Amino acid sequence: MASPPSSSTSDDPAAPPPRSSWVILGGIPRVVQSGGDDEAADVSLALAAPPRVSRLTVSQRVFPDRPTAQNFPFVLAADPSGLLLLSALLSAPPTRVDIDNAQSQSFYWRDNEPRYFVLDATTGSALRLPDPSSQESIMHQGLVGVLAWPGGGGRYLVAELVPFFGSDKADLRCFVSDIGEWVDKRVRYPLPARPLSPILTLAYHGRLWWVDYSWGILTADPFADDPVLGFLPLPGRCVLEWREAHGVLDRFRYVGVSAGKLCFVDTYRRGGAPVKVTVWTLSDADATEWRLEHDATFADIWVDDTYKATGLPRKAPVLALIHPHDPAVVYFFLKDHLFGVDVRARKVVECDRYHLVAPPRSYPIASRFVRAWELPRAVSSGLGNWSSGTGISPPEPTEAPPYRRMPGDYQLFGLSTMAVEE
């Protein structure tokens, strides 16, 4: 009988994990009391080598409430500079929020107090962002991202894309760290009047990329004085009808960066089509056509000895992420395991149990709950055993998640109000 795929971590929970230049970061952090120590770090990490999941902890200064199914902290974006963009939705009585300005008129109901932070994993600090205006907070969590400033120096930019549906206009709202305030930049909106279903914003090649898994990707350089918003559709056969598989597409699709290329991974199938994984890549950031790089049916993967050795059932898994250095290796969730598959070779290359602080038990596991994060040099090279240094904590045993949520009900969709042009 074949040996199981080797795990990249020891079976001894007290043993330090080996170094890696990247980690799989859990999207929902633990919240711990600060203990009254004003000097305590607001951010700490429990690092583990892939395929195990690294875990983030934030202090009660960042999230003062007890996390619930509706309100909990969540990592929206992770930048290789060490910056993390975090949302912290605190519970609050229902309030009508009216938006009335020169560009738009609309309103929405809010039953939380939204806060947003830029966390610095290298220093353990957390900066709360001001609201973009006196009337509005960030309007959609799937349309906001963070970018380190070109040339470094600790500067960064946070940007939210706000489309005015029914028009050819949008606002790019930018928070510049060394100015400390938001600046609006008007951009031309290149899409027809189909609403976006945004799921994440990622940084790549000095630009932000706003991803809709059903349709395509918008992109712009937020540092430009006059940004130009471009649109990259998904491969033709992958474009779906509006609201098709709405709210669950991140169980079947993923966009990320691997080996310096933007990658699109797809396992979504209609009807009785065979369960299959395909990996598409862009040759460069300005390319307009996707290239099919790798594909394989799960039937071929299931019959390989490396899959049989995992002991997992022949069941379609949930897509997790792509290896940031090798676009042939894709990770999946199945039962309580996270495993990596070399799609080109149709073999399992890594398999281990995963431990997440959350997500809510009643919400199906999906790629939104993990991030492939390239570690900053100060973390990856400065910590020989990943268990010492400022703001870094050793791995901890799994705790039972306290959260509950109805399937399909998730905060990225709960804050989906968009501005409407007058």
Side-chain angles (χ1 to χ4, degrees):
M1 180 175 176
S3 300
S6 59
S7 167
S8 56
T9 53
S10 167
D11 291 334
D12 179 3
R19 283 188 189 177
S20 173
S21 64
W22 73 283
V23 295
I24 300 172
L25 181 66
I28 301 179
R30 293 176 63 243
V31 178
V32 296
Q33 290 191 346
S34 302
D37 182 1
D38 291 337
E39 300 301 320
D42 284 320
V43 182
S44 63
L45 290 167
L47 295 171
R52 290 188 177 178
V53 176
S54 295
R55 293 163 47 188
L56 177 70
T57 296
V58 297
S59 74
Q60 283 196 316
R61 285 194 293 265
V62 174
F63 197 86
D65 287 358
R66 180 183 180 276
T68 68
Q70 288 73 35
N71 301 291
F72 51 90
F74 187 72
V75 176
L76 298 175
D79 189 81
S81 64
L83 300 178
L84 300 170
L85 182 62
L86 183 94
S87 72
L89 302 184
L90 308 181
S91 60
T95 304
R96 172 172 165 151
V97 179
D98 292 291
I99 303 172
D100 186 0
N101 54 44
Q103 289 78 37
S104 63
Q105 287 185 329
S106 61
F107 73 92
Y108 63 96
W109 290 93
R110 189 170 68 200
D111 61 356
N112 53 57
E113 178 191 345
R115 299 179 179 182
Y116 294 87
F117 293 83
V118 173
L119 312 180
D120 189 335
T122 64
T123 64
S125 64
L127 172 72
R128 181 179 174 183
L129 297 174
D131 288 339
S133 75
S134 60
Q135 293 178 305
E136 305 170 37
S137 177
I138 286 170
M139 298 185 68
H140 198 299
Q141 294 178 338
L143 289 173
V144 60
V146 61
L147 263 177
W149 206 272
R155 302 167 68 199
Y156 60 86
L157 179 146
V158 175
E160 181 191 15
L161 179 64
V162 182
F164 301 126
F165 292 131
S167 82
D168 62 352
K169 300 180 181 68
D171 272 348
L172 192 57
R173 306 198 292 192
C174 302
F175 176 85
V176 182
S177 61
D178 53 354
I179 298 176
E181 61 184 33
W182 292 84
V183 177
D184 282 2
K185 300 180 181 182
R186 179 57 58 91
V187 295
R188 181 183 176 277
Y189 188 68
L191 298 180
R194 167 176 165 169
L196 283 177
S197 298
I199 190 65
L200 83 157
T201 302
L202 60 87
Y204 168 62
H205 201 69
R207 306 208 301 255
L208 288 177
W209 303 70
W210 295 273
V211 180
D212 178 339
Y213 283 154
S214 71
W215 193 9
I217 307 171
L218 288 159
T219 182
D221 176 4
F223 298 109
D225 292 334
D226 295 305
V228 175
L229 196 61
F231 181 66
L232 174 69
L234 296 179
R237 65 191 193 210
C238 300
V239 175
L240 306 180
E241 298 294 327
W242 182 56
R243 297 191 70 84
E244 182 178 350
H246 180 70
V248 297
L249 270 178
D250 59 336
R251 292 172 56 83
F252 307 100
R253 291 183 166 183
Y254 178 84
V255 171
V257 178
S258 180
K261 296 181 179 181
L262 197 68
C263 300
F264 168 56
V265 186
D266 187 21
T267 64
Y268 182 74
R269 290 293 175 269
R270 293 182 172 101
V275 185
K276 187 176 183 181
V277 54
T278 56
V279 179
W280 305 75
T281 63
L282 285 184
S283 58
D284 58 63
D286 297 317
T288 58
E289 297 289 336
W290 294 94
R291 173 185 174 182
L292 180 59
E293 199 82 35
H294 309 292
D295 69 326
T297 65
F298 279 104
D300 288 339
I301 297 168
W302 290 333
V303 299
D304 192 84
D305 288 343
T306 57
Y307 188 87
K308 295 176 182 177
T310 67
L312 295 172
R314 293 190 179 190
K315 180 180 178 182
V318 173
L319 182 58
L321 49 90
I322 194 169
H323 195 296
H325 304 154
D326 186 351
V329 177
V330 178
Y331 290 83
F332 299 92
F333 297 108
L334 186 58
K335 302 184 85 172
D336 56 355
H337 284 71
L338 186 59
F339 64 98
V341 173
D342 186 325
V343 179
R344 178 175 46 207
R346 293 158 174 76
K347 294 182 179 295
V348 176
V349 293
E350 290 182 309
C351 183
D352 209 335
R353 294 179 182 273
Y354 68 85
H355 303 289
L356 291 171
V357 174
R361 289 176 189 261
S362 59
Y363 189 90
I365 191 69
S367 62
R368 73 182 70 182
F369 293 113
V370 289
R371 305 277 172 184
W373 185 28
E374 290 277 3
L375 292 172
R377 184 181 299 272
V379 175
S380 62
S381 63
L383 298 173
N385 62 5
W386 284 14
S387 60
S388 61
T390 302
I392 307 297
S393 58
E396 300 174 358
T398 306
E399 70 252 19
Y403 314 121
R404 298 290 187 274
R405 187 183 278 296
M406 294 302 293
D409 177 20
Y410 182 63
Q411 56 184 340
L412 283 178
F413 299 98
L415 291 180
S416 59
T417 302
M418 298 294 177
V420 179
E421 184 76 350
E422 287 184 292

